[in-house]
Amino acid sequence: MKRRALLQALATLPTWSAPWAGAATPRATITAEPAIIDAAGSQALPVWAYEGQVPGPVLRYRRGQVLDLTLHNALPDPSTIHWHGIRTPHAMDGVPHLTQVPVAPGERFHYRFALPDAGTFWYHPHLGTPEQVERGLAGALIVEDDAPPAVDADWVWLIDDWRLDASGRIAEDFYDFRDVAHAGRQGQQLTVNGQPPAIHALQGGQRLRLRLINAANARIFALELGGLPAWLIARDGVPSKIAEAWEGPLLLGPGMRADLIIDATVPGRHAVVDRFGRGERVLAAFEVGASVAGHPRPAPTPAWRDPLPEPDLAGADTHTIVFGGGMMSRSGWPEESAREREARRQRRLAGSREADPAWSLNGQAHMNHVSMSPPEFSVAAGRSVRLVFDNRTAWWHPMHLHGHHFRVLSRNGEALPHRPWRDTVLMAPGDQVEIAFVADNPGRWLLHCHVLEHHAGGMGTVFDVRG
Ligand code: C2O
Ligand code: CU
């Protein structure tokens, strides 16, 4: 988009009018079912929704509270809920075949676990995800800090993109091989909390905590905010040591979160623009009243938190995971026997929706039933693990680890200043990234690319923590 087009887009933005789903009512059941709602710029869009809303209700708890929620599956397909970023006990992780049986249509599953960490997390199905998440199944899970930084407002923006067909419906080309083998499913309609770009009013002087969650299947955002002072205070739910000024583009891959503090101290309209890849797109804008502006405020202090277990780097087991495959890559394209190909063709004819293999981790494509394959590595509970991710593909991959947070130690040989904690790390083409964590959560856990079509095309594996 040219500068002028950007300004025009900004001038014609509607004002945010959807009801604000900030406060959560405690609930015992969460129902997933088809619904017809006002979303993505359409007045009657058929979606799949939690509690009839897209995104699903914001689930809010305090640290240490118990999440006690029954999923009622009223979808035509089996489903589960995965609590992304939460260090749950293995049986509560929501991964079909690996941690639980899929919840069949009409059935229920009871999730119950204590919430060990405060922060911005989210929930989504972990079965048929390229379709189920795209149809609207995702929501924010907020665990309040014990001593949160003082703010005047606390907003959640679950950001997404939607691929709509000519009639404005969700295009049903899930698992399209071009998406699987390239950058995943990209949609033309950006949304914040299910609604197209809009203007959000802030009172002059207000300090806002903005919790960003990238719930897109595949879109990476590189977000910039011009004109208002802002800081990054947490990544993937984990508070930063010190608040970092949000100046350059903030890269947010699928699955990743960022907590920001924004001070409404400059009157006017301020756009949040995505500049990832080609062109630029307005995601939203803030409107700060002209009458009352505020004085600049001091940088916020991120919330204190019990430290996560510190990995022992000297004594760590080291494992390397090489990524291969995808279009235009020279190596690692997964091999498939004629028998496997034929079996897949037969399943498709019988109505199964699945991807063809396109990606490999250490030479292997792990298709649907990852639980059957031997773990990538196995470690005794309590040991430290150093993982080297080696991206030999021509594509970006947000790599997500279940059951644990990890420190990002280095990227392409350069140590990262604060070795930030994350649960998902974004890898550029050719990147080598080192992470480390204490494997203290027993069970078999997934490790996968959060571009949902990449995962479906083989880019996920399992590691074993022996209890
Ligand atoms: Cu949010 Cu295994 O995923
Ligand atoms: Cu990927």
Side-chain angles (χ1 to χ4, degrees):
M1 214 188 285
K2 292 263 164 53
R3 184 84 207 140
R4 192 152 47 95
L6 190 71
L7 288 175
Q8 248 164 32
L10 210 51
T12 55
L13 281 186
T15 300
W16 178 261
S17 61
W20 172 239
T25 31
R27 57 184 68 245
T29 303
I30 187 161
T31 300
E33 64 188 332
I36 294 180
I37 61 164
D38 170 5
S42 159
Q43 238 96 80
L45 186 67
V47 296
W48 289 2
Y50 289 119
E51 296 296 312
Q53 315 169 24
V54 174
V58 176
L59 305 177
R60 254 180 209 273
Y61 298 87
R62 293 195 63 87
R63 190 163 88 111
Q65 274 186 333
V66 171
L67 180 150
D68 190 341
L69 206 53
T70 296
L71 166 66
H72 172 212
N73 182 11
L75 301 168
D77 284 356
S79 194
T80 63
I81 295 183
H82 169 59
W83 314 94
H84 183 123
I86 299 276
R87 299 184 292 155
T88 61
H90 186 256
M92 296 287 114
D93 199 42
V95 180
H97 309 293
L98 191 64
T99 74
Q100 68 169 89
V101 293
V103 187
E107 287 187 358
R108 292 165 193 265
F109 188 89
H110 186 196
Y111 292 97
R112 187 171 198 281
F113 50 90
L115 295 156
D117 302 313
T120 301
F121 305 102
W122 64 300
Y123 61 98
H124 62 76
H126 220 295
L127 186 57
T129 41
E131 176 174 357
Q132 298 198 7
V133 173
E134 180 68 8
R135 287 193 189 276
L137 293 171
L141 168 56
I142 306 301
V143 185
E144 304 278 3
D145 295 311
D146 303 337
V151 294
D152 305 304
D154 184 333
W155 293 358
V156 181
W157 281 7
L158 192 133
I159 62 179
D160 201 351
D161 65 343
W162 301 62
R163 182 183 289 174
L164 304 173
D165 65 17
S167 62
R169 305 249 163 146
I170 296 170
E172 300 204 341
D173 55 348
F174 311 110
Y175 303 100
D176 183 297
F177 191 66
R178 276 162 307 179
D179 296 333
V180 170
H182 292 84
R185 179 185 172 107
Q186 308 274 331
Q188 75 274 40
Q189 177 66 65
L190 300 192
T191 57
V192 169
N193 296 336
Q195 302 302 321
I199 296 166
H200 301 252
L202 287 174
Q203 287 157 29
Q206 222 180 6
R207 170 164 276 191
L208 169 70
R209 177 179 189 151
L210 183 64
R211 302 169 184 265
L212 292 178
I213 301 170
N214 182 352
N217 282 32
R219 180 178 291 276
I220 298 162
F221 290 87
L223 297 175
E224 288 183 50
L225 167 64
L228 291 178
W231 293 268
L232 175 66
I233 58 162
R235 296 177 175 84
D236 293 352
V238 186
S240 318
K241 219 168 197 164
I242 49 159
E244 297 159 53
W246 176 17
E247 276 160 350
L250 174 74
L251 273 174
L252 210 60
M256 299 167 78
R257 286 91 65 217
D259 285 39
L260 302 153
I261 296 282
I262 297 170
D263 285 340
T265 48
V266 182
R269 191 168 291 181
H270 308 283
V272 179
V273 178
D274 168 38
R275 295 206 160 88
F276 187 78
R278 267 178 296 139
E280 38 184 16
R281 295 150 293 273
V282 175
L283 179 67
F286 295 110
E287 178 107 345
V288 180
S291 50
V292 248
H295 297 296
R297 294 225 201 154
T301 321
W304 177 86
R305 125 117 39 122
D306 279 336
L308 290 154
E310 191 62 48
D312 160 25
L313 296 179
D317 298 356
T318 299
H319 300 278
T320 300
I321 312 245
V322 176
F323 313 170
M327 282 300 165
M328 298 181 300
S329 90
R330 257 165 276 149
S331 66
W333 193 269
E335 286 172 26
E336 215 192 4
S337 68
R339 226 180 94 234
E340 287 166 324
R341 204 169 309 123
E342 179 54 22
R344 189 181 329 285
R345 204 179 67 84
Q346 292 299 336
R347 287 199 300 272
R348 273 225 192 99
L349 287 176
S352 99
R353 281 156 287 172
E354 60 185 298
D356 286 328
W359 303 93
S360 65
L361 296 175
N362 288 344
Q364 278 287 323
H366 299 268
M367 306 306 290
N368 34 26
H369 293 293
V370 85
S371 50
M372 284 4 171
S373 36
E376 203 64 47
F377 60 89
S378 171
V379 56
R383 280 196 65 84
S384 294
V385 177
R386 181 200 294 256
L387 281 185
V388 182
F389 290 145
D390 185 358
N391 180 8
R392 299 198 191 154
T393 79
W395 304 91
W396 291 74
H397 304 288
M399 296 304 291
H400 172 48
L401 221 67
H402 281 220
H404 300 79
H405 293 288
F406 51 79
R407 274 198 188 279
V408 187
L409 304 178
S410 71
R411 190 180 291 273
N412 301 324
E414 264 183 57
L416 298 193
H418 299 288
R419 300 186 308 157
W421 288 102
R422 306 213 69 122
D423 58 53
T424 307
V425 63
L426 183 61
M427 316 256 316
D431 265 4
Q432 272 217 7
V433 164
E434 264 184 309
I435 67 166
F437 62 101
V438 179
D440 57 358
N441 202 352
R444 282 195 173 196
W445 299 99
L446 264 191
L447 180 183
H448 67 92
C449 177
H450 218 289
V451 169
L452 302 177
E453 292 73 23
H454 290 181
H455 185 196
M459 211 169 175
T461 186
V462 166
F463 65 99
D464 186 25
V465 181
R466 301 188 308 270

